[in-house]
Amino acid sequence: RPHFFGDHDVDRLLAIVWAMAGELAVTRERLDTVERLLANHELLNRAEIDAYRPDAKAAEERGRWQIEYIARLLRIMQQEVDALQDKSSK
């Protein structure tokens, strides 16, 4: 991994922030596309989307996705922990 700062913790944090920024940018673009398509086809408008409240199943699925998302964001730190464990087990 490239290092930009003298402190490796800052580099790790920067990698996490950029991962989040990338995820957010893609999500916002796709969400905008879906909302525009729904509005163009007169299926839903943005006010209906804003008012939506998930049922129990949807909330559970969202919770699972959030856990997976956080794991992806923190992957860089987990890789370092795994590498340290591999070194100590040898």
Side-chain angles (χ1 to χ4, degrees), residues 48-63 66:
E48 290 174 289
I49 293 168
D50 291 339
Y52 174 77
R53 298 294 174 258
D55 61 17
K57 182 180 179 194
E60 180 183 331
E61 289 173 359
R62 286 179 178 190
Q66 288 173 349

Side-chain angles (χ1 to χ4, degrees), residues 11-75:
D11 284 324
R12 282 193 293 271
L13 181 59
L14 181 63
I16 291 168
V17 168
W18 277 114
M20 287 175 59
E23 291 266 352
L24 180 59
V26 169
T27 301
R28 287 185 61 102
E29 185 174 294
R30 291 180 61 87
L31 177 59
D32 179 67
T33 298
V34 170
E35 288 181 0
R36 289 174 190 272
L37 288 170
L38 289 170
N40 287 344
H41 292 289
E42 298 179 357
L43 297 172
L44 287 175
N45 61 44
R46 290 182 190 215
E48 290 174 289
I49 293 168
D50 291 339
Y52 174 77
R53 298 294 174 258
D55 61 17
K57 182 180 179 194
E60 180 183 331
E61 289 173 359
R62 286 179 178 190
R64 218 176 12 257
W65 179 88
Q66 288 173 349
I67 290 168
E68 292 167 0
Y69 177 62
I70 290 168
R72 284 193 309 274
L73 293 176
L74 298 178
R75 182 180 58 86

